[in-house]
Amino acid sequence: MAKVNESTVYGAQELIGYESGKVVTKVVAESGGAAVILRSADAGTVIPEHSVPFTAVVYVLDGVAEVRIDDTIYNPKAGEILVVPANHVHELKARERFTILLSKLPA
């Protein structure tokens, strides 16, 4: 995962684009176990079910993400935020393309 230069202004879409049939990841910044990450997902792709030991704040920049946390499905759209609790099983599906800004916070 490539990082971006500090002290530089970027538009999110110039940092990350879509790739056909793929999920693309770009680290914006990381420090002390926390990280801010851009992710774009092409329609039909899945970030498989997993659990992580940190709180994840998902801010949808464009599109609509389908996020399952445990047994509940959420559909945050552009401009909305969803907080995924640490150690909960979750999965993201792209019914349509989406770009998210993910903040990983140590639990």
Side-chain angles (χ1 to χ4, degrees), residues 1-85:
M1 289 186 271
K3 294 182 188 175
V4 300
N5 294 323
E6 295 179 344
S7 301
T8 304
V9 176
Y10 294 98
Q13 294 307 318
E14 70 183 280
L15 289 178
I16 194 164
Y18 290 105
E19 290 186 31
S20 181
K22 294 185 178 182
V23 174
V24 180
T25 301
K26 181 138 196 153
V27 175
V28 176
E30 58 186 341
S31 177
V36 176
I37 300 165
L38 277 169
R39 266 202 186 126
S40 67
D42 194 23
T45 58
V46 175
I47 298 171
E49 180 179 281
H50 61 286
S51 174
V52 291
F54 50 78
T55 299
V57 179
V58 177
Y59 176 54
V60 181
L61 298 173
D62 69 49
V64 178
E66 178 180 301
V67 184
R68 183 178 53 79
I69 303 173
D70 299 320
D71 294 323
T72 304
I73 294 176
Y74 303 89
N75 292 287
K77 62 184 180 299
E80 295 183 334
I81 294 171
L82 175 65
V83 178
V84 180

